[in-house]
Amino acid sequence: MNILVTGGAGYIGSHTCVELINSGHEIVVVDNFCNSRPEAVSRVKSIAGSDFPFYEMDVRDEEQLGRVMEEHRFDCVIHFAGLKSVGESVAKPIKYYDNNIGSTIALCKAMSKHGVARFVFSSSATVYSGGNVMPLTEDAALGCINPYGWTKLMCERILTDFAAAEDWSVALLRYFNPIGAHESGLIGEDPSDIPNNLLPYISQTAIGRLDKLHVFGDDYDTVDGTGVRDYIHVVDLAKGHVAAVGYCAEHTGVEAVNLGTGRGTSVLQLVAAFERMSGVKVAYDIAPRRAGDLAICYADPSRAQRIFGWSAEKSVDDMCADAWSWQRQNPMGYRE
Ligand code: NAD
Ligand code: UD1
């Protein structure tokens, strides 16, 4: 298929571009580099051993988007482009609503005009409200506690309405916690600031860029008191997109689908796995709980298995080993 990938220079997008090319798809990538670097695109090309058109542009720029749609014929759009920092979204909500919802609406308009009827959307487990029983199925109650989460839930709503009106095929992919990197160590997660998420914080501590990890709470009702999450290898997640694209080619309508492993890992279990795979001790202290955190969150991934024929294959050890390989080879990310 011919696929437009927005945000393809980013963490999940770059890994997905590699898997799409490996699966025989033709891609065109757009990104404005607001949270990524051109080097990521070059590295995707070198891993995949092939070239593809790239446009540096803001997805909200309807004129430029129209030109890209005119120059290429697309069968499907995968929309990764979005802002994702929960804390920043609380401080700057309009920036988040504008970027995340504005880009989705711009795409819907351009796709409608150019007859593109398949849309794969980067949603998040953050759309599930607190108080659900674990594991989370796609039918669990929805609701958010921060603007970032609301942008995802609102985009899900917009795409659901649009799909019904235009007879589209839409996959709303609810990611759990993507970590790890491509096994080559050439592409990986490259936070532009101090990381908010656990694994980049651990690996930057291990490489010496940060002093120590702060473990947010050790008094939760979990295996060791620390928060439990469903970590998924970013390459497994990328392959989930290839499966979703295949599904969209054969079906119309909207499907919300969890992309997770179904297994929970605590903060201290992840630290121990990282130390085992890297051979480096990770200094940490116990800090107060972080506002808005759940004790436990993990997926029921059975719908993805049933309708996409996809399930995650890699272990937490694989995730840590690959994250460390990326960090070791690129101590400053793409900045060198
Ligand atoms: P990322 O920041 O690494 O990638 C997003 C990319 O989109 C970046 O390259 C950025 O420059 C680009 N971008 C943002 N706004 C743009 C715009 N208006 N026009 C053009 N390009 C734009 O993030 P990621 O971790 O790869 O996440 C990809 C998507 O998945 C995001 O929508 C995010 O909200 C969602 N998601 C991520 C996670 C996670 O843990 N990483 C979890 C759930 C959902
Ligand atoms: C966070 C976001 C969520 C977003 C997801 C992926 C919050 C409240 N939630 O989820 O909306 O979709 O990232 O971007 O920000 N931890 C530490 N020390 C750290 C960092 C994290 O102990 O320095 C703990 C957390 O308390 C949590 C676990 O590690 O128990 C995972 O945290 P994180 O990687 O931020 O992911 P989520 O909290 O699941």
Side-chain angles (χ1 to χ4, degrees):
M1 271 199 268
N2 293 314
I3 301 171
L4 175 63
V5 181
T6 77
Y11 173 47
I12 304 170
S14 57
H15 290 82
T16 303
C17 287
V18 169
E19 297 309 320
L20 289 167
I21 295 169
N22 285 347
S23 309
H25 295 289
E26 301 281 336
I27 62 169
V28 172
V29 176
V30 303
D31 202 299
N32 65 359
F33 297 128
C34 68
N35 196 38
S36 56
R37 288 172 184 257
E39 178 65 13
V41 180
S42 309
R43 295 202 187 176
V44 167
K45 290 180 180 177
S46 85
I47 294 170
S50 78
D51 202 2
F52 50 80
F54 176 86
Y55 296 84
E56 181 174 348
M57 56 167 275
D58 193 305
V59 179
R60 289 168 295 177
D61 183 337
E62 295 187 17
E63 237 179 80
Q64 228 182 324
L65 195 54
R67 279 201 294 276
V68 173
M69 292 262 180
E70 240 129 68
E71 277 171 40
H72 305 272
R73 189 194 57 78
F74 295 113
D75 304 298
C76 181
V77 172
I78 308 182
H79 183 32
F80 293 105
L83 301 174
K84 62 168 184 177
S85 162
V86 171
E88 190 190 37
S89 82
V90 174
K92 299 177 181 168
I94 296 307
K95 180 177 175 189
Y96 274 67
Y97 287 113
D98 189 347
N99 192 75
N100 293 3
I101 296 176
S103 60
T104 301
I105 291 178
L107 278 170
C108 286
K109 289 201 249 177
M111 289 169 64
S112 175
K113 187 167 170 206
H114 291 88
V116 187
R118 301 184 188 98
F119 197 116
V120 174
F121 178 64
S122 293
S123 191
S124 167
T126 198
V127 300
Y128 295 115
S129 62
N132 282 303
V133 285
M134 297 296 149
L136 290 164
T137 68
E138 290 81 357
D139 303 321
L142 302 176
C144 301
I145 54 167
N146 57 65
Y148 165 69
W150 280 115
T151 68
K152 292 294 168 187
L153 197 47
M154 288 177 185
C155 286
E156 286 201 1
R157 183 72 250 164
I158 290 165
L159 289 167
T160 302
D161 292 340
F162 216 78
E166 306 239 342
D167 206 21
W168 279 12
S169 177
V170 174
L172 307 170
L173 303 183
R174 295 178 180 159
Y175 311 154
F176 280 68
N177 292 62
I179 59 170
H182 191 262
E183 61 182 6
S184 63
L186 287 173
I187 54 173
E189 187 167 13
D190 182 24
S192 49
D193 222 329
I194 294 178
N196 296 309
N197 295 118
L198 178 60
L199 193 83
Y201 208 105
I202 292 176
S203 60
Q204 290 194 14
T205 304
I207 203 81
R209 280 173 67 180
L210 298 168
D211 281 350
K212 61 179 164 189
L213 168 72
H214 307 292
V215 174
F216 298 145
D218 68 346
D219 56 354
Y220 288 108
D221 186 13
T222 62
V223 56
D224 54 19
T226 65
V228 167
R229 294 291 182 275
D230 185 339
Y231 298 98
I232 174 170
H233 196 296
V234 67
V235 172
D236 276 335
L237 188 72
K239 289 177 178 168
H241 290 74
V242 178
V245 163
Y247 178 85
C248 286
E250 312 266 309
H251 303 81
T252 52
V254 182
E255 288 284 356
V257 181
N258 288 339
L259 295 183
T261 66
R263 289 184 299 275
T265 302
S266 76
V267 175
L268 292 181
Q269 286 171 336
L270 193 69
V271 170
F274 190 92
E275 290 183 336
R276 207 166 49 242
M277 301 315 291
S278 66
V280 178
K281 203 97 193 106
V282 176
Y284 68 84
D285 62 15
I286 305 296
R289 290 180 178 194
R290 180 173 67 180
D293 270 353
L294 294 174
I296 302 183
C297 178
Y298 62 97
D300 176 340
S302 54
R303 183 179 289 177
Q305 166 71 47
R306 185 164 46 78
I307 72 172
F308 292 169
W310 168 92
S311 53
E313 288 167 357
K314 291 176 185 276
S315 67
V316 165
D317 282 1
D318 297 329
M319 303 175 208
C320 291
D322 290 337
W324 179 238
S325 165
W326 153 253
Q327 184 74 69
R328 221 184 44 238
Q329 293 181 55
N330 308 273
M332 299 304 288
Y334 294 114
R335 276 164 207 77
E336 288 160 311

